[in-house]
Amino acid sequence: MEQESRYGQPGQTRPGGRTARVRAAVLDAAGDALAEHGFDRLDLADVARRAGVGRTTVYRRWATPAGLVADLLDEMATESLPRTETGALLGDLRANARLVCRTLTDPRQGPLFKAVIAAATADRDAAAALRRFYATRIAEWAPCVEQAVARGELPPGTDPHEVVAAVSAPLYYRLLASGAPLDEAAADRAAEAAAAAARAGAFVIA
């Protein structure tokens, strides 16, 4: 699934008045802090300092580091880049896999995703936000699979969400468990494996 985001560029501002600008600054600062130090060392006072806002503002709105991570994930889901459509299933899935790979190997985004996943293992609200994030991103790419079914590339009844999830799963395994290289070749293999399984009917809803 796609992960690379237009959000996450330090210092980026967004329209919508002072409240929106403060939120954007705080979320940018939180992303920087998470990428640098991880969830265990995320401190709201440090985030406020980085963002140039008062500590009271941060504590009043987000209350806890996990609450801040949850809001950050919600923002990342809405700001992520749209899907690529190539007109063929394998091309679409390969584009998705390469985007995931670029994100996870990015010097900022890779550590940031590790940190938010760690937060989700420790806090219910962060875990719910992470599920919402992935549900949003899978839904964004699901039409690629639906179009493949309509073209006759995949059997009727193929579950688009399962296909898209199967693309990114081995890449996240490399990031979090095996430590194997995350490169374009790994991305292409993940896409090819998911496409082959889908063509064979592995994701047809019973």
mmCIF file of all heavy atoms in Angstrom, residues 74-106:
data_model
loop_
_atom_site.group_PDB
_atom_site.id
_atom_site.type_symbol
_atom_site.label_atom_id
_atom_site.label_comp_id
_atom_site.label_asym_id
_atom_site.label_seq_id
_atom_site.Cartn_x
_atom_site.Cartn_y
_atom_site.Cartn_z
ATOM 1 N N ASP A 74 -3.694 10.354 11.318
ATOM 2 C CA ASP A 74 -4.887 10.784 10.594
ATOM 3 C C ASP A 74 -4.524 11.808 9.525
ATOM 4 O O ASP A 74 -5.055 11.778 8.405
ATOM 5 C CB ASP A 74 -5.913 11.365 11.565
ATOM 6 C CG ASP A 74 -6.591 10.309 12.417
ATOM 7 O OD1 ASP A 74 -6.572 9.117 12.026
ATOM 8 O OD2 ASP A 74 -7.121 10.649 13.491
ATOM 9 N N GLU A 75 -3.623 12.716 9.843
ATOM 10 C CA GLU A 75 -3.190 13.712 8.871
ATOM 11 C C GLU A 75 -2.430 13.075 7.719
ATOM 12 O O GLU A 75 -2.630 13.408 6.549
ATOM 13 C CB GLU A 75 -2.301 14.758 9.561
ATOM 14 C CG GLU A 75 -1.724 15.818 8.643
ATOM 15 C CD GLU A 75 -2.757 16.867 8.208
ATOM 16 O OE1 GLU A 75 -3.940 16.715 8.541
ATOM 17 O OE2 GLU A 75 -2.354 17.825 7.532
ATOM 18 N N MET A 76 -1.559 12.120 8.028
ATOM 19 C CA MET A 76 -0.790 11.440 6.990
ATOM 20 C C MET A 76 -1.710 10.694 6.026
ATOM 21 O O MET A 76 -1.454 10.641 4.822
ATOM 22 C CB MET A 76 0.215 10.488 7.637
ATOM 23 C CG MET A 76 1.352 11.193 8.344
ATOM 24 S SD MET A 76 2.329 10.098 9.408
ATOM 25 C CE MET A 76 3.077 9.023 8.201
ATOM 26 N N ALA A 77 -2.778 10.123 6.542
ATOM 27 C CA ALA A 77 -3.705 9.384 5.683
ATOM 28 C C ALA A 77 -4.372 10.304 4.676
ATOM 29 O O ALA A 77 -4.552 9.948 3.506
ATOM 30 C CB ALA A 77 -4.768 8.685 6.528
ATOM 31 N N THR A 78 -4.723 11.517 5.097
ATOM 32 C CA THR A 78 -5.424 12.424 4.196
ATOM 33 C C THR A 78 -4.487 13.093 3.206
ATOM 34 O O THR A 78 -4.921 13.549 2.141
ATOM 35 C CB THR A 78 -6.168 13.518 4.984
ATOM 36 O OG1 THR A 78 -5.224 14.306 5.725
ATOM 37 C CG2 THR A 78 -7.167 12.898 5.952
ATOM 38 N N GLU A 79 -3.195 13.170 3.530
ATOM 39 C CA GLU A 79 -2.251 13.909 2.695
ATOM 40 C C GLU A 79 -1.400 13.019 1.804
ATOM 41 O O GLU A 79 -0.574 13.519 1.047
ATOM 42 C CB GLU A 79 -1.323 14.753 3.584
ATOM 43 C CG GLU A 79 -2.031 15.887 4.297
ATOM 44 C CD GLU A 79 -2.549 16.935 3.325
ATOM 45 O OE1 GLU A 79 -1.856 17.233 2.337
ATOM 46 O OE2 GLU A 79 -3.658 17.445 3.554
ATOM 47 N N SER A 80 -1.567 11.719 1.855
ATOM 48 C CA SER A 80 -0.723 10.823 1.071
ATOM 49 C C SER A 80 -0.978 10.982 -0.422
ATOM 50 O O SER A 80 -2.050 11.402 -0.851
ATOM 51 C CB SER A 80 -0.976 9.363 1.480
ATOM 52 O OG SER A 80 -0.543 9.147 2.805
ATOM 53 N N LEU A 81 0.016 10.618 -1.202
ATOM 54 C CA LEU A 81 -0.073 10.777 -2.648
ATOM 55 C C LEU A 81 -1.115 9.834 -3.245
ATOM 56 O O LEU A 81 -1.310 8.722 -2.763
ATOM 57 C CB LEU A 81 1.289 10.491 -3.285
ATOM 58 C CG LEU A 81 2.399 11.490 -2.942
ATOM 59 C CD1 LEU A 81 3.723 11.007 -3.526
ATOM 60 C CD2 LEU A 81 2.066 12.872 -3.477
ATOM 61 N N PRO A 82 -1.797 10.247 -4.321
ATOM 62 C CA PRO A 82 -2.810 9.391 -4.951
ATOM 63 C C PRO A 82 -2.176 8.225 -5.689
ATOM 64 O O PRO A 82 -0.980 8.221 -5.973
ATOM 65 C CB PRO A 82 -3.521 10.349 -5.918
ATOM 66 C CG PRO A 82 -2.489 11.374 -6.238
ATOM 67 C CD PRO A 82 -1.691 11.560 -4.987
ATOM 68 N N ARG A 83 -3.014 7.248 -6.022
ATOM 69 C CA ARG A 83 -2.529 6.050 -6.684
ATOM 70 C C ARG A 83 -2.085 6.350 -8.116
ATOM 71 O O ARG A 83 -2.487 7.348 -8.722
ATOM 72 C CB ARG A 83 -3.602 4.973 -6.701
ATOM 73 C CG ARG A 83 -4.797 5.290 -7.574
ATOM 74 C CD ARG A 83 -5.825 4.175 -7.541
ATOM 75 N NE ARG A 83 -6.997 4.501 -8.329
ATOM 76 C CZ ARG A 83 -8.030 5.185 -7.861
ATOM 77 N NH1 ARG A 83 -8.040 5.600 -6.612
ATOM 78 N NH2 ARG A 83 -9.068 5.457 -8.641
ATOM 79 N N THR A 84 -1.293 5.441 -8.639
ATOM 80 C CA THR A 84 -0.891 5.465 -10.042
ATOM 81 C C THR A 84 -1.695 4.427 -10.799
ATOM 82 O O THR A 84 -1.883 3.309 -10.315
ATOM 83 C CB THR A 84 0.613 5.137 -10.173
ATOM 84 O OG1 THR A 84 1.358 6.144 -9.487
ATOM 85 C CG2 THR A 84 1.040 5.093 -11.625
ATOM 86 N N GLU A 85 -2.179 4.774 -11.987
ATOM 87 C CA GLU A 85 -2.907 3.821 -12.822
ATOM 88 C C GLU A 85 -2.157 3.657 -14.136
ATOM 89 O O GLU A 85 -1.969 4.618 -14.882
ATOM 90 C CB GLU A 85 -4.340 4.300 -13.065
ATOM 91 C CG GLU A 85 -5.180 4.297 -11.797
ATOM 92 C CD GLU A 85 -6.634 4.658 -12.063
ATOM 93 O OE1 GLU A 85 -6.997 4.786 -13.246
ATOM 94 O OE2 GLU A 85 -7.394 4.796 -11.086
ATOM 95 N N THR A 86 -1.728 2.429 -14.425
ATOM 96 C CA THR A 86 -0.957 2.152 -15.639
ATOM 97 C C THR A 86 -1.786 1.453 -16.699
ATOM 98 O O THR A 86 -1.336 1.288 -17.829
ATOM 99 C CB THR A 86 0.257 1.276 -15.312
ATOM 100 O OG1 THR A 86 -0.200 -0.026 -14.899
ATOM 101 C CG2 THR A 86 1.099 1.894 -14.195
ATOM 102 N N GLY A 87 -2.979 0.986 -16.326
ATOM 103 C CA GLY A 87 -3.809 0.251 -17.264
ATOM 104 C C GLY A 87 -3.611 -1.241 -17.216
ATOM 105 O O GLY A 87 -4.238 -1.986 -17.977
ATOM 106 N N ALA A 88 -2.734 -1.716 -16.334
ATOM 107 C CA ALA A 88 -2.491 -3.154 -16.179
ATOM 108 C C ALA A 88 -2.268 -3.453 -14.707
ATOM 109 O O ALA A 88 -1.664 -2.649 -13.986
ATOM 110 C CB ALA A 88 -1.285 -3.602 -16.997
ATOM 111 N N LEU A 89 -2.742 -4.602 -14.261
ATOM 112 C CA LEU A 89 -2.653 -4.945 -12.848
ATOM 113 C C LEU A 89 -1.217 -4.913 -12.346
ATOM 114 O O LEU A 89 -0.924 -4.266 -11.332
ATOM 115 C CB LEU A 89 -3.247 -6.337 -12.600
ATOM 116 C CG LEU A 89 -3.097 -6.848 -11.163
ATOM 117 C CD1 LEU A 89 -3.956 -6.034 -10.215
ATOM 118 C CD2 LEU A 89 -3.431 -8.325 -11.081
ATOM 119 N N LEU A 90 -0.322 -5.605 -13.029
ATOM 120 C CA LEU A 90 1.046 -5.684 -12.531
ATOM 121 C C LEU A 90 1.692 -4.304 -12.483
ATOM 122 O O LEU A 90 2.399 -3.973 -11.533
ATOM 123 C CB LEU A 90 1.883 -6.642 -13.383
ATOM 124 C CG LEU A 90 3.334 -6.836 -12.911
ATOM 125 C CD1 LEU A 90 3.388 -7.294 -11.461
ATOM 126 C CD2 LEU A 90 4.047 -7.833 -13.815
ATOM 127 N N GLY A 91 1.456 -3.485 -13.482
ATOM 128 C CA GLY A 91 2.016 -2.147 -13.469
ATOM 129 C C GLY A 91 1.506 -1.327 -12.296
ATOM 130 O O GLY A 91 2.280 -0.609 -11.645
ATOM 131 N N ASP A 92 0.204 -1.437 -12.001
ATOM 132 C CA ASP A 92 -0.364 -0.699 -10.878
ATOM 133 C C ASP A 92 0.220 -1.189 -9.552
ATOM 134 O O ASP A 92 0.593 -0.375 -8.692
ATOM 135 C CB ASP A 92 -1.880 -0.858 -10.858
ATOM 136 C CG ASP A 92 -2.556 -0.178 -12.035
ATOM 137 O OD1 ASP A 92 -1.882 0.588 -12.754
ATOM 138 O OD2 ASP A 92 -3.764 -0.430 -12.239
ATOM 139 N N LEU A 93 0.286 -2.502 -9.376
ATOM 140 C CA LEU A 93 0.803 -3.048 -8.119
ATOM 141 C C LEU A 93 2.290 -2.751 -7.967
ATOM 142 O O LEU A 93 2.771 -2.500 -6.857
ATOM 143 C CB LEU A 93 0.550 -4.549 -8.041
ATOM 144 C CG LEU A 93 -0.924 -4.991 -8.015
ATOM 145 C CD1 LEU A 93 -1.019 -6.497 -7.789
ATOM 146 C CD2 LEU A 93 -1.720 -4.226 -6.970
ATOM 147 N N ARG A 94 3.007 -2.759 -9.065
ATOM 148 C CA ARG A 94 4.433 -2.422 -9.004
ATOM 149 C C ARG A 94 4.614 -0.956 -8.591
ATOM 150 O O ARG A 94 5.499 -0.628 -7.789
ATOM 151 C CB ARG A 94 5.098 -2.687 -10.344
ATOM 152 C CG ARG A 94 6.614 -2.498 -10.316
ATOM 153 C CD ARG A 94 7.220 -2.819 -11.660
ATOM 154 N NE ARG A 94 7.219 -4.257 -11.919
ATOM 155 C CZ ARG A 94 6.778 -4.816 -13.027
ATOM 156 N NH1 ARG A 94 6.273 -4.077 -14.007
ATOM 157 N NH2 ARG A 94 6.846 -6.123 -13.187
ATOM 158 N N ALA A 95 3.774 -0.080 -9.121
ATOM 159 C CA ALA A 95 3.851 1.328 -8.736
ATOM 160 C C ALA A 95 3.579 1.492 -7.246
ATOM 161 O O ALA A 95 4.255 2.265 -6.545
ATOM 162 C CB ALA A 95 2.857 2.151 -9.550
ATOM 163 N N ASN A 96 2.589 0.760 -6.749
ATOM 164 C CA ASN A 96 2.283 0.802 -5.320
ATOM 165 C C ASN A 96 3.461 0.307 -4.491
ATOM 166 O O ASN A 96 3.868 0.950 -3.512
ATOM 167 C CB ASN A 96 1.040 -0.036 -5.046
ATOM 168 C CG ASN A 96 0.716 -0.112 -3.571
ATOM 169 O OD1 ASN A 96 1.038 -1.100 -2.926
ATOM 170 N ND2 ASN A 96 0.092 0.912 -3.025
ATOM 171 N N ALA A 97 4.031 -0.818 -4.879
ATOM 172 C CA ALA A 97 5.130 -1.404 -4.115
ATOM 173 C C ALA A 97 6.357 -0.495 -4.112
ATOM 174 O O ALA A 97 7.032 -0.343 -3.088
ATOM 175 C CB ALA A 97 5.487 -2.774 -4.684
ATOM 176 N N ARG A 98 6.653 0.105 -5.251
ATOM 177 C CA ARG A 98 7.816 0.992 -5.311
ATOM 178 C C ARG A 98 7.610 2.245 -4.463
ATOM 179 O O ARG A 98 8.560 2.759 -3.858
ATOM 180 C CB ARG A 98 8.114 1.357 -6.763
ATOM 181 C CG ARG A 98 8.652 0.184 -7.576
ATOM 182 C CD ARG A 98 8.993 0.603 -8.997
ATOM 183 N NE ARG A 98 9.529 -0.520 -9.769
ATOM 184 C CZ ARG A 98 9.970 -0.415 -11.017
ATOM 185 N NH1 ARG A 98 9.930 0.760 -11.639
ATOM 186 N NH2 ARG A 98 10.441 -1.471 -11.649
ATOM 187 N N LEU A 99 6.362 2.725 -4.411
ATOM 188 C CA LEU A 99 6.059 3.869 -3.574
ATOM 189 C C LEU A 99 6.237 3.519 -2.105
ATOM 190 O O LEU A 99 6.816 4.293 -1.327
ATOM 191 C CB LEU A 99 4.636 4.348 -3.849
ATOM 192 C CG LEU A 99 4.143 5.579 -3.079
ATOM 193 C CD1 LEU A 99 5.089 6.755 -3.242
ATOM 194 C CD2 LEU A 99 2.750 5.956 -3.539
ATOM 195 N N VAL A 100 5.745 2.357 -1.696
ATOM 196 C CA VAL A 100 5.946 1.892 -0.326
ATOM 197 C C VAL A 100 7.441 1.804 -0.025
ATOM 198 O O VAL A 100 7.912 2.277 1.017
ATOM 199 C CB VAL A 100 5.279 0.526 -0.101
ATOM 200 C CG1 VAL A 100 5.653 -0.038 1.259
ATOM 201 C CG2 VAL A 100 3.767 0.637 -0.223
ATOM 202 N N CYS A 101 8.190 1.222 -0.939
ATOM 203 C CA CYS A 101 9.622 1.033 -0.732
ATOM 204 C C CYS A 101 10.341 2.376 -0.592
ATOM 205 O O CYS A 101 11.193 2.548 0.288
ATOM 206 C CB CYS A 101 10.190 0.224 -1.892
ATOM 207 S SG CYS A 101 11.872 -0.354 -1.623
ATOM 208 N N ARG A 102 10.009 3.334 -1.450
ATOM 209 C CA ARG A 102 10.644 4.647 -1.360
ATOM 210 C C ARG A 102 10.340 5.303 -0.018
ATOM 211 O O ARG A 102 11.202 5.950 0.590
ATOM 212 C CB ARG A 102 10.156 5.560 -2.487
ATOM 213 C CG ARG A 102 10.703 5.224 -3.844
ATOM 214 C CD ARG A 102 10.557 6.400 -4.802
ATOM 215 N NE ARG A 102 9.200 6.871 -4.943
ATOM 216 C CZ ARG A 102 8.318 6.366 -5.809
ATOM 217 N NH1 ARG A 102 8.648 5.343 -6.589
ATOM 218 N NH2 ARG A 102 7.103 6.881 -5.898
ATOM 219 N N THR A 103 9.122 5.141 0.444
ATOM 220 C CA THR A 103 8.735 5.736 1.713
ATOM 221 C C THR A 103 9.495 5.107 2.867
ATOM 222 O O THR A 103 10.030 5.801 3.738
ATOM 223 C CB THR A 103 7.228 5.577 1.939
ATOM 224 O OG1 THR A 103 6.529 6.198 0.862
ATOM 225 C CG2 THR A 103 6.799 6.214 3.239
ATOM 226 N N LEU A 104 9.549 3.793 2.892
ATOM 227 C CA LEU A 104 10.157 3.095 4.019
ATOM 228 C C LEU A 104 11.672 3.242 4.055
ATOM 229 O O LEU A 104 12.287 3.021 5.099
ATOM 230 C CB LEU A 104 9.769 1.610 3.992
ATOM 231 C CG LEU A 104 8.271 1.326 4.118
ATOM 232 C CD1 LEU A 104 8.021 -0.172 4.184
ATOM 233 C CD2 LEU A 104 7.672 2.019 5.335
ATOM 234 N N THR A 105 12.279 3.597 2.939
ATOM 235 C CA THR A 105 13.720 3.817 2.913
ATOM 236 C C THR A 105 14.083 5.291 2.982
ATOM 237 O O THR A 105 15.270 5.633 3.003
ATOM 238 C CB THR A 105 14.352 3.194 1.654
ATOM 239 O OG1 THR A 105 13.726 3.735 0.483
ATOM 240 C CG2 THR A 105 14.200 1.683 1.657
ATOM 241 N N ASP A 106 13.088 6.159 3.011
ATOM 242 C CA ASP A 106 13.346 7.587 3.136
ATOM 243 C C ASP A 106 13.971 7.878 4.507
ATOM 244 O O ASP A 106 13.540 7.318 5.518
ATOM 245 C CB ASP A 106 12.036 8.362 2.982
ATOM 246 C CG ASP A 106 12.234 9.853 3.082
ATOM 247 O OD1 ASP A 106 12.578 10.467 2.058
ATOM 248 O OD2 ASP A 106 12.065 10.403 4.194
#
